[in-house]
Amino acid sequence: MQKDIETVLFSHEQIKVRVDELGDSISRDYRGKDLLVVGILKGAFIFMGDLVRAIKIPIETDFMAVSSYGASSESSGVVRILMDLEKSIEGRHVLIVEDIVDTGLTLKYLIEALNSRKPASVKVCTFLDKPERRRVDVKAEYNGYEVPDEFLVGYGLDYNEKYRNLPYIGILKREVYS
Ligand code: IMP
Ligand code: MG
């Protein structure tokens, strides 16, 4: 796997420091509130595991799985819910946990879908943000790192379902996908 990586952007150690900071902010902001943390599968599964352990207030967790129709490396904007939440979110504070916000199409769809269920609030924590690629106006309240417009893998992010288990975030060599 290592041979397919152009550059390591964030090491395992750097990631830990940043995730702990995000956990502190979330703990501070939601103290005394009923918070449901919702991980978006599959990309967010590793970040979600680290983030919830960095949150020091009582929370509940759930997951959703979504997929966008169409080509594998480009979001089409049409999102399909493959697995939904277990319970109602009416009146509850919801925090969506994403691996990366790219065009923003997936997130926009998710925020609208969850807001239609009458929660107390819906906010977003993404590990990575590629602002240059944004096509719709969505913003994450909590954001680990802004990243350049490169194809990134590791720490949950995949290319063709591979590389998710790399403990760091790396830029995938172009020759691997072109
Ligand atoms: P969006 O709807 O374009 O914002 O797409 C978000 C989804 O695209 C993420 O949840 C990822 O699954 C995927 N994605 C976007 N950029 C990358 C990348 O650099 N590496 C791996 N997956 C990515
Ligand atoms: Mg994904």
Side-chain angles (χ1 to χ4, degrees):
M1 287 192 292
Q2 185 87 50
K3 69 175 188 344
D4 297 339
I5 303 303
E6 184 78 58
T7 324
V8 173
L9 274 191
F10 307 110
S11 69
H12 183 61
E13 291 71 26
Q14 282 174 293
I15 291 172
K16 167 132 185 47
V17 172
R18 189 67 190 117
V19 172
D20 285 347
E21 288 172 358
L22 291 170
D24 286 344
S25 304
I26 292 164
S27 306
R28 211 180 313 118
D29 296 351
Y30 286 95
R31 193 167 299 280
K33 292 185 174 150
D34 173 27
L35 176 61
L36 178 68
V37 182
V38 175
I40 308 303
L41 299 173
K42 298 178 212 166
F45 84 109
I46 292 180
F47 176 44
M48 173 83 171
D50 285 345
L51 182 69
V52 296
R53 284 177 292 177
I55 296 177
K56 306 299 182 196
I57 56 169
I59 57 165
E60 288 183 27
T61 55
D62 204 345
F63 290 92
M64 285 177 88
V66 299
S67 92
S68 66
Y69 286 107
S72 58
S73 65
E74 280 275 312
S75 207
S76 64
V78 185
V79 178
R80 193 160 50 123
I81 295 180
L82 303 177
M83 187 186 90
D84 208 338
L85 299 173
E86 217 166 79
K87 296 193 228 161
S88 163
I89 55 169
E90 196 172 330
R92 310 190 66 190
H93 294 281
V94 175
L95 183 66
I96 298 172
V97 176
E98 260 283 28
D99 51 354
I100 184 165
V101 185
D102 186 38
T103 63
L105 289 162
T106 308
L107 197 54
K108 186 173 162 55
Y109 174 88
L110 269 173
I111 292 171
E112 281 169 10
L114 294 182
N115 265 325
S116 74
R117 302 178 188 181
K118 304 192 173 62
S121 70
V122 175
K123 289 187 177 172
V124 177
C125 177
T126 186
F127 184 60
L128 302 176
D129 184 9
K130 268 187 198 170
E132 281 171 60
R133 295 257 310 160
R134 202 60 38 84
R135 282 170 52 193
V136 287
D137 183 30
V138 285
K139 244 188 132 28
E141 284 79 5
Y142 305 93
N143 178 5
Y145 298 103
E146 282 197 3
V147 291
D149 183 11
E150 300 276 2
F151 200 84
L152 308 176
V153 292
Y155 199 62
L157 290 162
D158 72 306
Y159 172 65
N160 266 349
E161 295 302 324
K162 296 194 177 66
Y163 309 100
R164 292 193 198 276
N165 57 323
L166 286 174
Y168 53 82
I169 296 276
I171 298 177
L172 190 63
K173 282 185 182 163
R174 256 168 219 281
E175 68 210 48
V176 179
Y177 60 91
S178 58

